[in-house]
Amino acid sequence: MKITMLGTSAALPDPDRAQSAILITLDNGKNYLFDCGEGTTRQMVKANINPADVPWVFVSHLHYDHVCGLPFFVLSSWVFNRKDKLKVYGPKGIQDFVDHSFENGAYKIDIRARADFPARQKNIDAVRPDVTEVSPGLMYEDEDVKVYCDIVDHIPTEITDCFGIRFEAEGKVIAFSGDTAPCDSMIRLAQDADLLIHECTFPESFLEHRAKSGVGTFAHTSPLQLGEIATKANVKSLVATHFGHFDSTSPVIKRAAGMHLPVELMGPERLDEVARDIRKGYKGELRLATDLMRIDL
C-alpha cells in the first residue's frame, strides 16, 4: 500500500504546508482519506489522485484544520463526476457539519445552480454524503480493511469526541493519532503497528512559552513524549506530523504566531531539534512529514 501525506501543518494557513490530511491507497487501487483540512483536494490532484476516486473519509475530530476542506472536496468530486455518495465517518457533530454544508446549508445556492445542468443532476448524489457518527471500536470494515477508533485526549468530550485511528489492510497496520496529548488509548491503537503517524505540534523549546500564552489548546504531544509513545507501542516506523508552523520563515505566519509562539526561535532548524528529541526515546525508523511525502508499505 501507499501512504501520501497530503497535508502536514496545524491550524494557520501555512504557505509551505496544507492542513491535516492523509491518503492511503491499497495495491488494488482503493483510496481511504483520513482528515480533510484546507488544501486536501488540491494536494490530492498534485499527487495524481482524482478526488472522485476516493469513496471514504474518516474524520478524527472537528477542529477546522482537520475538516474545513470537506465541503470543497465534496463539491469538487461532484464536478469531477463522482458516481456514488461519499461515505463519511467521524465523531458526534459530523452529521450536523454535513447537513449545514450542502443542499440545506451553506452551498445550497451553488448546488441548485449547478444542478440545472443535466450532467450535474445526473450525479446529484455526489453532494449527498452518507454520514456515520461513530463510537470507540470498529468504525468501518470491508473485504479489504478494518478501521478502529478510540477516544484520545484533545478536546473535552462534553464538546465532542476526538479519535485516534487504527487501519488494518494487506497484512499491515497503520495508526493515526489525530490530535492528542499522550494517552493510553493511542498506545493501544498503535501497538505493534508497521507505521505510526502521530502529531508533534510544537518543539520542546516552544512548550513553556505556549503554556503561558493562554492562546489555544496545548493538549498536544511533544517530541520527547512522542519518542516514548512510539517505543511503548513497539512501532516499526514513525512519522511525526501536524507541525505548528515552528519551522516557518513566513513573515505573515510570524506576525500571526507572535502571541503564542517564540517567534525569534522559528525556522527550519527547529525540525532538527524535533528529530533529536524524538530520538532520545525512539530508535526505530523516523520521518518528519512533508507535504506529498510518499511512504510504501
Side-chain angles (χ1 to χ4, degrees), residues 56-60 87-91 94 130-132 134 139-140:
W56 301 278
V57 180
F58 303 89
V59 176
S60 67
K87 293 179 170 56
V88 179
Y89 298 82
I94 188 65
D130 183 3
V131 179
T132 302
V134 300
M139 66 189 301
Y140 174 79

Side-chain angles (χ1 to χ4, degrees), residues 160-176:
T160 185
D161 293 336
C162 296
F163 292 130
I165 293 170
R166 181 182 177 95
F167 179 90
E168 299 180 355
E170 299 179 346
K172 303 291 186 180
V173 173
I174 301 169
F176 168 50

Side-chain angles (χ1 to χ4, degrees), residues 57-232:
V57 180
F58 303 89
V59 176
S60 67
H61 66 293
L62 295 175
H63 269 152
Y64 77 83
D65 53 316
H66 294 255
V67 75
C68 72
L70 185 60
F72 185 76
F73 173 66
V74 170
L75 292 166
S76 298
S77 297
W78 184 34
V79 175
F80 275 54
N81 296 316
R82 180 186 294 280
K83 293 182 172 57
D84 300 311
K85 291 187 176 185
L86 177 71
K87 293 179 170 56
V88 179
Y89 298 82
K92 57 188 178 185
I94 188 65
Q95 181 72 67
D96 185 63
F97 180 90
V98 169
D99 289 344
H100 284 82
S101 294
F102 301 111
E103 287 174 287
N104 297 314
Y107 290 97
K108 63 184 177 183
I109 299 300
D110 181 290
I111 292 169
R112 181 179 174 185
R114 294 180 195 276
D116 275 349
F117 295 95
R120 294 286 71 82
Q121 185 61 46
K122 184 178 179 180
N123 72 326
I124 191 68
D125 272 354
V127 292
R128 297 168 178 168
D130 183 3
V131 179
T132 302
E133 294 190 348
V134 300
S135 301
L138 181 65
M139 66 189 301
Y140 174 79
E141 68 174 322
D142 60 32
E143 65 273 15
D144 295 300
V145 310
K146 290 185 177 180
V147 187
Y148 300 88
C149 67
D150 203 352
I151 294 173
V152 294
D153 181 9
H154 187 55
I155 300 176
T157 54
E158 61 266 25
I159 298 175
T160 185
D161 293 336
C162 296
F163 292 130
I165 293 170
R166 181 182 177 95
F167 179 90
E168 299 180 355
E170 299 179 346
K172 303 291 186 180
V173 173
I174 301 169
F176 168 50
S177 69
D179 286 1
T180 185
C183 58
D184 291 341
S185 57
M186 195 60 231
I187 294 173
R188 290 193 297 269
L189 287 167
Q191 195 65 47
D192 299 321
D194 295 279
L195 178 67
L196 170 60
I197 303 170
H198 200 292
E199 72 117 282
C200 189
T201 308
F202 300 110
E204 303 294 336
S205 59
F206 282 46
L207 292 177
E208 183 178 357
H209 187 285
R210 174 77 175 171
K212 289 178 179 177
S213 73
V215 177
T217 179
F218 51 92
H220 289 290
T221 299
S222 77
L224 288 174
Q225 291 168 331
L226 180 51
E228 294 171 359
I229 289 167
T231 295
K232 288 179 181 177

